[in-house]
Amino acid sequence: MQGETPPASSETAAPVEQAWSLAEPAPPETAVAASEGIKEAVSGKSETVGSIVDTLDGLAISLGHMRVSVFDVLIVASIVFGVIAFAWFASRVARRMVRRVQRLDDTQQLLVEKIITIAIWAAAFFMGIDLLGIDLTALAVFSGAFGLAIGFGLQKTFGNLIAGIILLMDKSIKPGDVIAVTDMAGNESFGQIRKIGVRAVSVTTRDQREYLIPNENLMINQVENWSYSSKNVRMQVPVGVSYEADMNLVEKLMLEAAASCDRVLKAPPPTVWMNEYGDNSVNFTIHCWIMDPEDGVGNVRSAVLKKLWWLFKENGIEIPFPQRDLHIRSSDQLDKLLAIMAKEKGE
């Protein structure tokens, strides 16, 4: 019939259909590639579990070309938890195995433990990335920002980590050493190193104050280590006696007081030095050696001084104290004042 449009042939309809299919948006990609394989494996084993998985997978949100479901979140949480648990358990096992090696001293054991721990956690990180099916090339966009974050925000952290490893390698600072510590007020005290951590060194003083000193500070600042090459420490006890005292007897009593302390070493023996002729006394210094500075120094000095006090009392040695002689010159005003005071006293 005239005016009727002939039906479109299959040859003309196919290109239109193909063009329509190309215009359709692609389905969103799954955020976690590993969840697809796990879902197929679980669904093939049990229909009930498969229906639960499908329900969880149906609860999802789409972010652009990315689809995130509740099932994906559970899979990621399970893998992360499993990887962290594996790394923690492997670190504990490796630490126990290292401590059983008798050929390594405490410092070497601590160094090996830290290196193995870092290697285990790094391996666990890449294993988690592989299990999750995350393509590392997808993170290329954020690599620059992540590098800047490490360079600026975590610079001190990585610096302290490397400094701690170097301290353990050269054995300049090791657990058990006694070092001098200065607080914020400038007061110096000594403490014993309890632990060398990833970020800081823990130092405990005699009054149970614990200082956390960054590893980097011990690398770049001067450190007074009392037990670096030997734990023997020489301590000084200053003593002053009267000018009228028998100096030979004084020296003998000082040596006796030092030798009476249990913590003072017999070899090298205590010695006594005369320092100076002071304003009110002859000043001596008792030098004695101890081999356990972590147990305190002030208590040894106190024990020596207490013993010396009673020895001086028994032998009549005077411990002087500041004294002053006043000489008043005579004058007319002073004579008048004294006369008035004498007159008032007589009345």
Side-chain angles (χ1 to χ4, degrees):
M1 178 182 264
Q2 188 176 5
E4 290 183 357
T5 304
S9 63
S10 60
E11 295 179 356
T12 58
V16 174
E17 201 173 298
Q18 183 178 3
W20 174 259
S21 63
L22 291 175
E24 289 181 352
E29 300 178 355
T30 304
V32 182
S35 64
E36 288 294 330
I38 296 175
K39 182 171 67 173
E40 293 177 1
V42 171
S43 300
K45 296 232 176 174
S46 172
E47 294 183 0
T48 304
V49 178
S51 62
I52 297 175
V53 170
D54 292 337
T55 303
L56 295 176
D57 189 62
L59 302 174
I61 59 174
S62 297
L63 302 173
H65 294 286
M66 192 71 65
R67 179 178 179 275
V68 181
S69 66
V70 176
F71 183 70
D72 294 334
V73 175
L74 292 177
I75 292 299
V76 170
S78 300
I79 292 177
V80 170
F81 177 78
V83 168
I84 293 176
F86 166 77
W88 178 81
F89 179 75
S91 301
R92 293 286 299 270
V93 173
R95 194 176 300 118
R96 291 182 180 180
M97 293 177 62
V98 170
R99 290 177 181 176
R100 292 179 180 178
V101 180
Q102 302 296 333
R103 292 179 298 177
L104 302 177
D105 57 20
D106 295 339
T107 305
Q108 293 173 342
Q109 287 182 357
L110 186 58
L111 177 61
V112 173
E113 288 177 9
K114 287 187 177 298
I115 294 176
I116 293 178
T117 302
I118 294 174
I120 289 176
W121 282 98
F125 172 77
F126 288 107
M127 183 175 65
I129 293 293
D130 183 66
L131 290 176
L132 292 173
I134 298 177
D135 188 4
L136 293 179
T137 58
L139 302 177
V141 179
F142 304 100
S143 60
F146 186 70
L148 289 176
I150 293 178
F152 291 98
L154 303 179
Q155 180 181 8
K156 291 295 184 181
T157 302
F158 279 92
N160 287 321
L161 173 62
I162 301 302
I165 295 176
I166 294 176
L167 290 175
L168 291 173
M169 290 179 64
D170 65 3
K171 299 182 181 181
S172 58
I173 298 294
K174 54 186 181 297
D177 283 353
V178 178
I179 65 174
V181 180
T182 304
D183 58 15
M184 300 298 294
N187 301 319
E188 185 178 78
S189 59
F190 69 95
Q192 186 178 25
I193 296 178
R194 299 296 185 187
K195 177 184 177 183
I196 299 180
V198 175
R199 188 191 67 85
V201 173
S202 172
V203 180
T204 305
T205 60
R206 287 287 297 168
D207 53 3
Q208 294 304 310
R209 292 184 180 179
E210 190 165 1
Y211 292 85
L212 297 178
I213 306 175
N215 297 333
E216 194 174 3
N217 289 4
L218 298 179
M219 283 286 298
I220 62 178
N221 296 331
Q222 179 178 339
V223 179
E224 184 180 350
N225 192 339
W226 289 16
S227 53
Y228 176 62
S229 57
S230 173
K231 297 191 71 173
N232 289 357
V233 175
R234 189 179 75 168
M235 52 172 296
Q236 292 79 31
V237 183
V239 180
V241 298
S242 172
Y243 277 92
E244 304 297 328
D246 184 352
M247 298 303 166
N248 293 327
L249 178 60
V250 166
E251 183 175 350
K252 178 182 177 181
L253 297 177
M254 289 181 182
L255 293 175
E256 181 180 349
S260 65
C261 185
D262 296 334
R263 291 179 55 197
V264 174
L265 299 179
K266 307 302 179 184
T271 57
V272 175
W273 291 0
M274 180 185 290
N275 289 341
E276 61 179 353
Y277 301 121
D279 295 336
N280 306 291
S281 62
V282 180
N283 298 324
F284 290 84
T285 300
I286 305 173
H287 296 273
C288 50
W289 292 82
I290 60 175
M291 63 178 301
D292 49 359
E294 65 274 6
D295 291 336
V297 175
N299 48 9
V300 178
R301 184 179 294 110
S302 175
V304 173
L305 290 175
K306 286 180 180 178
K307 181 64 176 179
L308 190 59
W309 172 273
W310 295 111
L311 290 176
F312 280 175
K313 287 287 186 181
E314 293 173 0
N315 292 272
I317 304 297
E318 180 184 354
I319 300 177
F321 52 88
Q323 302 181 37
R324 293 291 184 271
D325 294 331
L326 298 179
H327 299 276
I328 301 176
R329 293 184 178 181
S330 178
S331 62
D332 295 338
Q333 291 81 4
L334 181 60
D335 293 340
K336 291 180 180 179
L337 178 61
L338 293 175
I340 295 174
M341 293 175 61
K343 184 179 179 181
E344 291 179 351
K345 187 177 180 180
E347 295 176 352

